[in-house]
Amino acid sequence: MRTPLTALVGAALLATALPLAAQAQPFNGPMGVAGRWAIDLPRSNFNTALTGPAPLSGELDVTIDDGKTLAWTLVEEDEAGVAALQFADARLDGTPTKAVVNLTRVTISVDRVGQSAVTVTTHGDGGARHQSMKVTRTNPDTLLVEQDIDGKPGPPDQTLTLKRVK
């Protein structure tokens, strides 16, 4: 079974953004990530030592992107079928909330860090690892997710690229 970390990629994948200079005004309005996204396996870099085998496919469905909240479902599949499953509905102000990751409830928070950017943090309860993800929309149809899984400083532990499907 995949670790909750991989499923949280969905959380991160939802959130997107171009790095923007810090602004005094709060960010508002939709982030432009509603719709379906698929993991681009050839362009992604998985750290199998931390997360287990890479999935054969993955799809992220962002159902709410209203500037205040993001809601999403992530499903990853491997040879045996569903490898990871995640459901979340989170405010973009860092308020802790519960998400479902592989049938386990975990606490996450989502912070909006740019006009189209968020960071997603898993707080390590329910057996989940403490991890964070930065999600960047590199163009209207591509998301880049940089995951810190092990909590150690340095480059991301793995990066995932998602392409807009619809």
Side-chain angles (χ1 to χ4, degrees):
M1 177 174 253
R2 303 201 66 71
T3 63
L5 139 80
T6 302
L8 289 173
V9 167
L13 302 174
L14 307 153
T16 59
L18 288 172
L20 299 174
Q23 299 177 9
Q25 300 177 352
F27 303 105
N28 52 38
M31 296 181 358
V33 297
R36 286 196 345 235
W37 300 82
I39 295 176
D40 185 340
L41 295 171
R43 293 180 57 204
S44 297
N45 177 24
F46 294 90
N47 185 331
T48 58
L50 290 173
T51 65
L56 296 177
S57 67
E59 186 171 285
L60 171 70
D61 187 11
V62 180
T63 55
I64 298 174
D65 172 14
D66 64 7
K68 297 177 184 175
T69 303
L70 282 176
W72 66 89
T73 300
L74 172 73
V75 178
E76 293 181 0
E77 295 183 6
D78 63 14
E79 305 82 23
V82 174
L85 182 63
Q86 181 183 70
F87 303 96
D89 185 336
R91 294 189 50 77
L92 300 179
D93 62 3
T95 302
T97 190
K98 292 291 186 178
V100 175
V101 178
N102 295 339
L103 304 180
T104 300
R105 289 178 58 86
V106 299
T107 302
I108 66 167
S109 59
V110 180
D111 287 295
R112 191 158 186 179
V113 295
Q115 189 60 42
S116 295
V118 297
T119 57
V120 179
T121 303
T122 306
H123 296 282
D125 62 343
R129 295 179 184 152
H130 178 82
Q131 66 171 308
S132 63
M133 293 171 267
K134 177 184 177 187
V135 183
T136 304
R137 189 178 66 208
T138 57
N139 68 53
D141 294 323
T142 305
L143 300 178
L144 175 64
V145 178
E146 298 172 291
Q147 289 183 287
D148 174 25
I149 300 163
D150 62 12
K152 297 176 184 173
D157 294 316
Q158 76 181 13
T159 56
L160 306 172
T161 299
L162 284 91
K163 299 296 275 181
R164 188 182 297 272
V165 175
K166 181 177 172 184

